[in-house]
Amino acid sequence: MSKTVRIGCASAFWGDTCTAAAQLVHGGALDYLVFDYLAEVTMSILAGARMKDPQAGYATDFVEVLTPLLADIQRQGIRVISNAGGIHPQACAAALQAACDHAQVPLKIAVLLGDDLQPQLKNLHGITDMFDGTPLPPVCVSANAYLGAPGIAQALALGADIVITGRVVDSAVVSAALVHEFGWSWHDYDRLAQAALAGHIIECGAQCTGGNFTDWRDVPDYEHIGFPIVEVSADGQFTVNKVDGSGGLISELSVAEQLLYEIGDPRAYVLPDVICDFSQVKLQQQGKHQVRLHGAKGLPPTDRYKVSATYPDGFRCTASCLIAGIDAVAKAERVSQAIIGKTAELFSQRGWAPFTDVNIELLGSEATYGAHGQRHDTREVVVKLAVRHPSKQALVLFAREIAQAATGMAPGLTGIVGGRPTVYPLIRLFSFLIDKSACDLSIHWQGERHTCALPAAQALVTPAAPIDPPKTTGRADASVPLVKLAVARAGDKGNHSNIGVIARAPEYLPWIAETLTPEVVVDWMRHVLDPVHGRVERWYLPGSHSLNFLLENALGGGGIASLRIDPQGKAFAQQLLEIPIAVPQHIADQFN
């Protein structure tokens, strides 16, 4: 029987469930257990934690979750790879080593370093944002390059049982294991693309096993949802499955939603080790809760890393309260405007600057739907007031003035969430590109430092030209909402939203594409797009009968800076699924 490698992912973000690792270790028959902890916002949180405590700066959940499983991991020979190191991988390794020593389980731990560029920032010149060209801010709290898989693979070759990294691309924890196990060349780009695809599918944990799935009613047992496992062959093809008896759902559509998640241009998904073309990837159900994926292609990578830096930009404060009763929406509008107006007047009297930004959302009135909102008669709304200002002192005053509305403004105001709101620093993301040679990669292993050399670069190749979706044939004389014809999922990258739309059947795709043009999506989602810089791109993926949309500048500043209730655009796909699609009557009749 040909060799396969089984890899399970136990974490999609810092704060994910503590139950996944035990589920996978006890029931997954794994070769590797991987954890992904680092979102863009996480690095700035960890940087702040380390400023307060020199031994902080890593995902402490990792050590807590792994400690009770150490003996089982050693007994089964499972190797562990995680980016839990955050901005202080060595402290993470020290904490885990202490846990191993206490449990008397002699696992060998390696640490990959080289992603942290914070000490070098003052020596970098001419750095500009990769999206809008603005210069590097004078003060950054973190700056980390997205490393690839070679350093992790080298640590595995040295004999590490556990590899801890700082910032690496999410899929690298899977790619490295596969390159190590199968001995693939770093120039075998098609296999590297398949490895990256395997990592991409499971990097968000239960999002490919029924979590966040459009057809949520079909997903059983959320309480015990299974976390994903990929079983990969030497040719790079793989199946996605989960522990027998666990909850959730693995189907072509649930996995396809994750395939398109946050990839932008599917013909040129840029990673440090390979540029992936996922446009021809095919998904095939292989049995209950098992889907096979193949067809990813790869091109040589660029000679640069993407770097995510975070920097402070004033302060933010968010207050929420309930307003109930007759004309709740009208009362909420007046009260929220009065609070902003009063505090702005107080700022002026003190000689302070006005608010930098104000965001008012009346939750329950379909405020996030813009012009598509349909609820105008609701008798209860949650007022969410979010504001930004250069001065912490000004927002402390704003926070203090909220409570007066309970006795001095409209009736029915109650339930100020969390009491007086707290003022926090507002952290923004700054993304740029840097030559790979600027990063000094090394592996710390059993008291020694091992230099990590990158594979020799190869000439870049132009990605394949985009393919137009098939044209419709026949007459559209009816319409149905998009959700009848497709599933969809939204994700984010910086200030951009990515919405993947997958046809439920291949014959639906031409009709979806006919209606769902970039211009139509701009009009439908106008309420979230920046009025000046907002735009929409669309790509067709023939392998999965799907369309991928990138909504540029649609998140009000992005996940860590936006004042919106939905700063990552997680609900955007749900809004798009209501758009009417013109179809022939015989298709519409299928849903009657």
Side-chain angles (χ1 to χ4, degrees), residues 144-176:
N144 296 82
Y146 286 76
L147 304 183
I152 304 172
Q154 184 174 334
L156 294 172
L158 287 169
D161 300 308
I162 300 173
V163 183
I164 295 172
T165 77
R167 190 33 131 170
V168 294
V169 290
D170 298 345
S171 58
V173 295
V174 171
S175 296

PDB file of all heavy atoms in Angstrom, residues 144-176:
ATOM      1  N   ASN A 144       6.141  41.623  11.133  1.00  0.00           N
ATOM      2  CA  ASN A 144       6.499  40.216  10.964  1.00  0.00           C
ATOM      3  C   ASN A 144       6.311  39.776   9.524  1.00  0.00           C
ATOM      4  O   ASN A 144       5.258  40.001   8.927  1.00  0.00           O
ATOM      5  CB  ASN A 144       5.647  39.337  11.880  1.00  0.00           C
ATOM      6  CG  ASN A 144       5.902  39.625  13.345  1.00  0.00           C
ATOM      7  OD1 ASN A 144       5.355  40.573  13.899  1.00  0.00           O
ATOM      8  ND2 ASN A 144       6.747  38.822  13.966  1.00  0.00           N
ATOM      9  N   ALA A 145       7.351  39.136   8.989  1.00  0.00           N
ATOM     10  CA  ALA A 145       7.285  38.585   7.637  1.00  0.00           C
ATOM     11  C   ALA A 145       6.552  37.251   7.662  1.00  0.00           C
ATOM     12  O   ALA A 145       6.670  36.474   8.612  1.00  0.00           O
ATOM     13  CB  ALA A 145       8.693  38.394   7.086  1.00  0.00           C
ATOM     14  N   TYR A 146       5.799  36.998   6.603  1.00  0.00           N
ATOM     15  CA  TYR A 146       5.126  35.709   6.445  1.00  0.00           C
ATOM     16  C   TYR A 146       6.118  34.722   5.830  1.00  0.00           C
ATOM     17  O   TYR A 146       6.303  34.696   4.614  1.00  0.00           O
ATOM     18  CB  TYR A 146       3.908  35.856   5.534  1.00  0.00           C
ATOM     19  CG  TYR A 146       2.717  36.553   6.152  1.00  0.00           C
ATOM     20  CD1 TYR A 146       2.697  37.931   6.321  1.00  0.00           C
ATOM     21  CD2 TYR A 146       1.594  35.829   6.546  1.00  0.00           C
ATOM     22  CE1 TYR A 146       1.597  38.578   6.871  1.00  0.00           C
ATOM     23  CE2 TYR A 146       0.489  36.460   7.094  1.00  0.00           C
ATOM     24  CZ  TYR A 146       0.497  37.833   7.252  1.00  0.00           C
ATOM     25  OH  TYR A 146      -0.596  38.465   7.797  1.00  0.00           O
ATOM     26  N   LEU A 147       6.748  33.917   6.679  1.00  0.00           N
ATOM     27  CA  LEU A 147       7.720  32.949   6.198  1.00  0.00           C
ATOM     28  C   LEU A 147       7.014  31.749   5.576  1.00  0.00           C
ATOM     29  O   LEU A 147       5.820  31.527   5.782  1.00  0.00           O
ATOM     30  CB  LEU A 147       8.610  32.477   7.347  1.00  0.00           C
ATOM     31  CG  LEU A 147       9.370  33.552   8.131  1.00  0.00           C
ATOM     32  CD1 LEU A 147      10.259  32.900   9.184  1.00  0.00           C
ATOM     33  CD2 LEU A 147      10.187  34.450   7.209  1.00  0.00           C
ATOM     34  N   GLY A 148       7.794  30.961   4.842  1.00  0.00           N
ATOM     35  CA  GLY A 148       7.263  29.760   4.216  1.00  0.00           C
ATOM     36  C   GLY A 148       7.620  28.505   4.991  1.00  0.00           C
ATOM     37  O   GLY A 148       7.895  28.535   6.198  1.00  0.00           O
ATOM     38  N   ALA A 149       7.671  27.379   4.271  1.00  0.00           N
ATOM     39  CA  ALA A 149       7.820  26.067   4.898  1.00  0.00           C
ATOM     40  C   ALA A 149       9.253  25.556   5.046  1.00  0.00           C
ATOM     41  O   ALA A 149       9.485  24.646   5.848  1.00  0.00           O
ATOM     42  CB  ALA A 149       7.003  25.040   4.101  1.00  0.00           C
ATOM     43  N   PRO A 150      10.273  26.059   4.312  1.00  0.00           N
ATOM     44  CA  PRO A 150      11.601  25.431   4.380  1.00  0.00           C
ATOM     45  C   PRO A 150      12.198  25.334   5.777  1.00  0.00           C
ATOM     46  O   PRO A 150      12.795  24.301   6.129  1.00  0.00           O
ATOM     47  CB  PRO A 150      12.453  26.326   3.466  1.00  0.00           C
ATOM     48  CG  PRO A 150      11.491  26.848   2.458  1.00  0.00           C
ATOM     49  CD  PRO A 150      10.228  27.087   3.236  1.00  0.00           C
ATOM     50  N   GLY A 151      12.067  26.372   6.586  1.00  0.00           N
ATOM     51  CA  GLY A 151      12.634  26.324   7.932  1.00  0.00           C
ATOM     52  C   GLY A 151      11.999  25.245   8.794  1.00  0.00           C
ATOM     53  O   GLY A 151      12.680  24.552   9.566  1.00  0.00           O
ATOM     54  N   ILE A 152      10.687  25.086   8.663  1.00  0.00           N
ATOM     55  CA  ILE A 152       9.988  24.046   9.431  1.00  0.00           C
ATOM     56  C   ILE A 152      10.440  22.663   8.967  1.00  0.00           C
ATOM     57  O   ILE A 152      10.699  21.767   9.784  1.00  0.00           O
ATOM     58  CB  ILE A 152       8.463  24.194   9.277  1.00  0.00           C
ATOM     59  CG1 ILE A 152       8.001  25.591   9.685  1.00  0.00           C
ATOM     60  CG2 ILE A 152       7.742  23.129  10.100  1.00  0.00           C
ATOM     61  CD1 ILE A 152       6.534  25.875   9.373  1.00  0.00           C
ATOM     62  N   ALA A 153      10.537  22.487   7.650  1.00  0.00           N
ATOM     63  CA  ALA A 153      10.978  21.195   7.115  1.00  0.00           C
ATOM     64  C   ALA A 153      12.390  20.860   7.592  1.00  0.00           C
ATOM     65  O   ALA A 153      12.699  19.699   7.909  1.00  0.00           O
ATOM     66  CB  ALA A 153      10.920  21.221   5.589  1.00  0.00           C
ATOM     67  N   GLN A 154      13.254  21.874   7.667  1.00  0.00           N
ATOM     68  CA  GLN A 154      14.614  21.636   8.149  1.00  0.00           C
ATOM     69  C   GLN A 154      14.603  21.222   9.618  1.00  0.00           C
ATOM     70  O   GLN A 154      15.366  20.335  10.029  1.00  0.00           O
ATOM     71  CB  GLN A 154      15.464  22.894   7.955  1.00  0.00           C
ATOM     72  CG  GLN A 154      16.929  22.708   8.333  1.00  0.00           C
ATOM     73  CD  GLN A 154      17.770  23.928   7.995  1.00  0.00           C
ATOM     74  OE1 GLN A 154      17.435  24.700   7.101  1.00  0.00           O
ATOM     75  NE2 GLN A 154      18.876  24.102   8.711  1.00  0.00           N
ATOM     76  N   ALA A 155      13.739  21.831  10.412  1.00  0.00           N
ATOM     77  CA  ALA A 155      13.630  21.457  11.824  1.00  0.00           C
ATOM     78  C   ALA A 155      13.158  20.010  11.967  1.00  0.00           C
ATOM     79  O   ALA A 155      13.639  19.267  12.835  1.00  0.00           O
ATOM     80  CB  ALA A 155      12.675  22.405  12.544  1.00  0.00           C
ATOM     81  N   LEU A 156      12.226  19.594  11.118  1.00  0.00           N
ATOM     82  CA  LEU A 156      11.774  18.200  11.142  1.00  0.00           C
ATOM     83  C   LEU A 156      12.914  17.261  10.758  1.00  0.00           C
ATOM     84  O   LEU A 156      13.083  16.186  11.351  1.00  0.00           O
ATOM     85  CB  LEU A 156      10.590  18.017  10.194  1.00  0.00           C
ATOM     86  CG  LEU A 156       9.300  18.758  10.565  1.00  0.00           C
ATOM     87  CD1 LEU A 156       8.279  18.657   9.435  1.00  0.00           C
ATOM     88  CD2 LEU A 156       8.704  18.222  11.866  1.00  0.00           C
ATOM     89  N   ALA A 157      13.714  17.662   9.779  1.00  0.00           N
ATOM     90  CA  ALA A 157      14.842  16.831   9.355  1.00  0.00           C
ATOM     91  C   ALA A 157      15.887  16.694  10.460  1.00  0.00           C
ATOM     92  O   ALA A 157      16.571  15.662  10.564  1.00  0.00           O
ATOM     93  CB  ALA A 157      15.476  17.421   8.098  1.00  0.00           C
ATOM     94  N   LEU A 158      16.006  17.715  11.303  1.00  0.00           N
ATOM     95  CA  LEU A 158      16.936  17.645  12.430  1.00  0.00           C
ATOM     96  C   LEU A 158      16.465  16.659  13.495  1.00  0.00           C
ATOM     97  O   LEU A 158      17.253  16.224  14.338  1.00  0.00           O
ATOM     98  CB  LEU A 158      17.111  19.029  13.056  1.00  0.00           C
ATOM     99  CG  LEU A 158      17.928  20.048  12.249  1.00  0.00           C
ATOM    100  CD1 LEU A 158      17.793  21.440  12.851  1.00  0.00           C
ATOM    101  CD2 LEU A 158      19.397  19.627  12.183  1.00  0.00           C
ATOM    102  N   GLY A 159      15.169  16.336  13.463  1.00  0.00           N
ATOM    103  CA  GLY A 159      14.636  15.370  14.416  1.00  0.00           C
ATOM    104  C   GLY A 159      13.648  15.930  15.410  1.00  0.00           C
ATOM    105  O   GLY A 159      13.297  15.263  16.392  1.00  0.00           O
ATOM    106  N   ALA A 160      13.150  17.142  15.180  1.00  0.00           N
ATOM    107  CA  ALA A 160      12.233  17.763  16.135  1.00  0.00           C
ATOM    108  C   ALA A 160      10.911  17.004  16.201  1.00  0.00           C
ATOM    109  O   ALA A 160      10.353  16.605  15.177  1.00  0.00           O
ATOM    110  CB  ALA A 160      11.979  19.212  15.744  1.00  0.00           C
ATOM    111  N   ASP A 161      10.425  16.815  17.427  1.00  0.00           N
ATOM    112  CA  ASP A 161       9.078  16.281  17.629  1.00  0.00           C
ATOM    113  C   ASP A 161       8.042  17.397  17.560  1.00  0.00           C
ATOM    114  O   ASP A 161       6.905  17.168  17.143  1.00  0.00           O
ATOM    115  CB  ASP A 161       8.975  15.606  18.998  1.00  0.00           C
ATOM    116  CG  ASP A 161       9.941  14.452  19.156  1.00  0.00           C
ATOM    117  OD1 ASP A 161       9.942  13.568  18.285  1.00  0.00           O
ATOM    118  OD2 ASP A 161      10.701  14.451  20.148  1.00  0.00           O
ATOM    119  N   ILE A 162       8.439  18.587  18.012  1.00  0.00           N
ATOM    120  CA  ILE A 162       7.550  19.750  18.029  1.00  0.00           C
ATOM    121  C   ILE A 162       8.310  20.924  17.422  1.00  0.00           C
ATOM    122  O   ILE A 162       9.453  21.194  17.805  1.00  0.00           O
ATOM    123  CB  ILE A 162       7.108  20.100  19.460  1.00  0.00           C
ATOM    124  CG1 ILE A 162       6.349  18.923  20.096  1.00  0.00           C
ATOM    125  CG2 ILE A 162       6.238  21.359  19.473  1.00  0.00           C
ATOM    126  CD1 ILE A 162       6.022  19.119  21.569  1.00  0.00           C
ATOM    127  N   VAL A 163       7.682  21.616  16.468  1.00  0.00           N
ATOM    128  CA  VAL A 163       8.284  22.807  15.861  1.00  0.00           C
ATOM    129  C   VAL A 163       7.384  23.997  16.174  1.00  0.00           C
ATOM    130  O   VAL A 163       6.186  23.978  15.864  1.00  0.00           O
ATOM    131  CB  VAL A 163       8.450  22.659  14.336  1.00  0.00           C
ATOM    132  CG1 VAL A 163       9.149  23.900  13.768  1.00  0.00           C
ATOM    133  CG2 VAL A 163       9.232  21.399  13.996  1.00  0.00           C
ATOM    134  N   ILE A 164       7.976  25.020  16.776  1.00  0.00           N
ATOM    135  CA  ILE A 164       7.253  26.243  17.128  1.00  0.00           C
ATOM    136  C   ILE A 164       7.803  27.377  16.274  1.00  0.00           C
ATOM    137  O   ILE A 164       9.020  27.567  16.182  1.00  0.00           O
ATOM    138  CB  ILE A 164       7.412  26.568  18.622  1.00  0.00           C
ATOM    139  CG1 ILE A 164       6.749  25.480  19.470  1.00  0.00           C
ATOM    140  CG2 ILE A 164       6.813  27.936  18.953  1.00  0.00           C
ATOM    141  CD1 ILE A 164       7.010  25.607  20.958  1.00  0.00           C
ATOM    142  N   THR A 165       6.899  28.130  15.651  1.00  0.00           N
ATOM    143  CA  THR A 165       7.310  29.241  14.795  1.00  0.00           C
ATOM    144  C   THR A 165       6.671  30.537  15.273  1.00  0.00           C
ATOM    145  O   THR A 165       5.759  30.540  16.101  1.00  0.00           O
ATOM    146  CB  THR A 165       6.888  29.010  13.332  1.00  0.00           C
ATOM    147  OG1 THR A 165       5.483  29.277  13.190  1.00  0.00           O
ATOM    148  CG2 THR A 165       7.181  27.587  12.884  1.00  0.00           C
ATOM    149  N   GLY A 166       7.167  31.635  14.707  1.00  0.00           N
ATOM    150  CA  GLY A 166       6.467  32.901  14.789  1.00  0.00           C
ATOM    151  C   GLY A 166       5.534  32.991  13.597  1.00  0.00           C
ATOM    152  O   GLY A 166       4.809  32.052  13.281  1.00  0.00           O
ATOM    153  N   ARG A 167       5.593  34.107  12.868  1.00  0.00           N
ATOM    154  CA  ARG A 167       4.696  34.313  11.742  1.00  0.00           C
ATOM    155  C   ARG A 167       5.149  33.486  10.542  1.00  0.00           C
ATOM    156  O   ARG A 167       6.262  33.649  10.045  1.00  0.00           O
ATOM    157  CB  ARG A 167       4.676  35.801  11.389  1.00  0.00           C
ATOM    158  CG  ARG A 167       3.618  36.261  10.396  1.00  0.00           C
ATOM    159  CD  ARG A 167       2.374  35.514  10.487  1.00  0.00           C
ATOM    160  NE  ARG A 167       1.159  36.305  10.548  1.00  0.00           N
ATOM    161  CZ  ARG A 167      -0.046  35.772  10.444  1.00  0.00           C
ATOM    162  NH1 ARG A 167      -0.172  34.470  10.262  1.00  0.00           N
ATOM    163  NH2 ARG A 167      -1.119  36.503  10.543  1.00  0.00           N
ATOM    164  N   VAL A 168       4.324  32.576  10.116  1.00  0.00           N
ATOM    165  CA  VAL A 168       4.486  31.870   8.844  1.00  0.00           C
ATOM    166  C   VAL A 168       3.130  31.919   8.148  1.00  0.00           C
ATOM    167  O   VAL A 168       2.103  32.153   8.787  1.00  0.00           O
ATOM    168  CB  VAL A 168       4.927  30.399   9.030  1.00  0.00           C
ATOM    169  CG1 VAL A 168       6.320  30.309   9.634  1.00  0.00           C
ATOM    170  CG2 VAL A 168       3.927  29.624   9.880  1.00  0.00           C
ATOM    171  N   VAL A 169       3.110  31.713   6.839  1.00  0.00           N
ATOM    172  CA  VAL A 169       1.808  31.604   6.180  1.00  0.00           C
ATOM    173  C   VAL A 169       1.079  30.402   6.776  1.00  0.00           C
ATOM    174  O   VAL A 169       1.697  29.394   7.136  1.00  0.00           O
ATOM    175  CB  VAL A 169       1.935  31.468   4.650  1.00  0.00           C
ATOM    176  CG1 VAL A 169       2.402  32.771   4.040  1.00  0.00           C
ATOM    177  CG2 VAL A 169       2.841  30.328   4.252  1.00  0.00           C
ATOM    178  N   ASP A 170      -0.234  30.509   6.878  1.00  0.00           N
ATOM    179  CA  ASP A 170      -1.007  29.505   7.601  1.00  0.00           C
ATOM    180  C   ASP A 170      -0.775  28.094   7.068  1.00  0.00           C
ATOM    181  O   ASP A 170      -0.691  27.126   7.825  1.00  0.00           O
ATOM    182  CB  ASP A 170      -2.501  29.840   7.530  1.00  0.00           C
ATOM    183  CG  ASP A 170      -2.836  31.170   8.190  1.00  0.00           C
ATOM    184  OD1 ASP A 170      -1.991  31.689   8.944  1.00  0.00           O
ATOM    185  OD2 ASP A 170      -3.939  31.694   7.941  1.00  0.00           O
ATOM    186  N   SER A 171      -0.677  27.964   5.748  1.00  0.00           N
ATOM    187  CA  SER A 171      -0.569  26.633   5.143  1.00  0.00           C
ATOM    188  C   SER A 171       0.810  26.012   5.311  1.00  0.00           C
ATOM    189  O   SER A 171       0.989  24.810   5.072  1.00  0.00           O
ATOM    190  CB  SER A 171      -0.918  26.704   3.656  1.00  0.00           C
ATOM    191  OG  SER A 171      -0.062  27.620   2.984  1.00  0.00           O
ATOM    192  N   ALA A 172       1.813  26.791   5.733  1.00  0.00           N
ATOM    193  CA  ALA A 172       3.188  26.285   5.805  1.00  0.00           C
ATOM    194  C   ALA A 172       3.338  25.143   6.798  1.00  0.00           C
ATOM    195  O   ALA A 172       4.196  24.267   6.618  1.00  0.00           O
ATOM    196  CB  ALA A 172       4.147  27.421   6.169  1.00  0.00           C
ATOM    197  N   VAL A 173       2.519  25.123   7.846  1.00  0.00           N
ATOM    198  CA  VAL A 173       2.655  24.061   8.848  1.00  0.00           C
ATOM    199  C   VAL A 173       2.299  22.704   8.249  1.00  0.00           C
ATOM    200  O   VAL A 173       2.791  21.666   8.711  1.00  0.00           O
ATOM    201  CB  VAL A 173       1.788  24.360  10.095  1.00  0.00           C
ATOM    202  CG1 VAL A 173       2.306  25.611  10.803  1.00  0.00           C
ATOM    203  CG2 VAL A 173       0.314  24.527   9.752  1.00  0.00           C
ATOM    204  N   VAL A 174       1.458  22.698   7.222  1.00  0.00           N
ATOM    205  CA  VAL A 174       1.118  21.457   6.518  1.00  0.00           C
ATOM    206  C   VAL A 174       2.119  21.185   5.395  1.00  0.00           C
ATOM    207  O   VAL A 174       2.618  20.066   5.243  1.00  0.00           O
ATOM    208  CB  VAL A 174      -0.320  21.534   5.960  1.00  0.00           C
ATOM    209  CG1 VAL A 174      -0.614  20.352   5.031  1.00  0.00           C
ATOM    210  CG2 VAL A 174      -1.326  21.564   7.105  1.00  0.00           C
ATOM    211  N   SER A 175       2.432  22.207   4.606  1.00  0.00           N
ATOM    212  CA  SER A 175       3.360  22.030   3.481  1.00  0.00           C
ATOM    213  C   SER A 175       4.703  21.472   3.944  1.00  0.00           C
ATOM    214  O   SER A 175       5.273  20.574   3.305  1.00  0.00           O
ATOM    215  CB  SER A 175       3.582  23.368   2.768  1.00  0.00           C
ATOM    216  OG  SER A 175       2.396  23.851   2.190  1.00  0.00           O
ATOM    217  N   ALA A 176       5.216  21.998   5.050  1.00  0.00           N
ATOM    218  CA  ALA A 176       6.524  21.557   5.541  1.00  0.00           C
ATOM    219  C   ALA A 176       6.520  20.075   5.882  1.00  0.00           C
ATOM    220  O   ALA A 176       7.471  19.343   5.559  1.00  0.00           O
ATOM    221  CB  ALA A 176       6.914  22.382   6.767  1.00  0.00           C
TER     222      ALA A 176
END
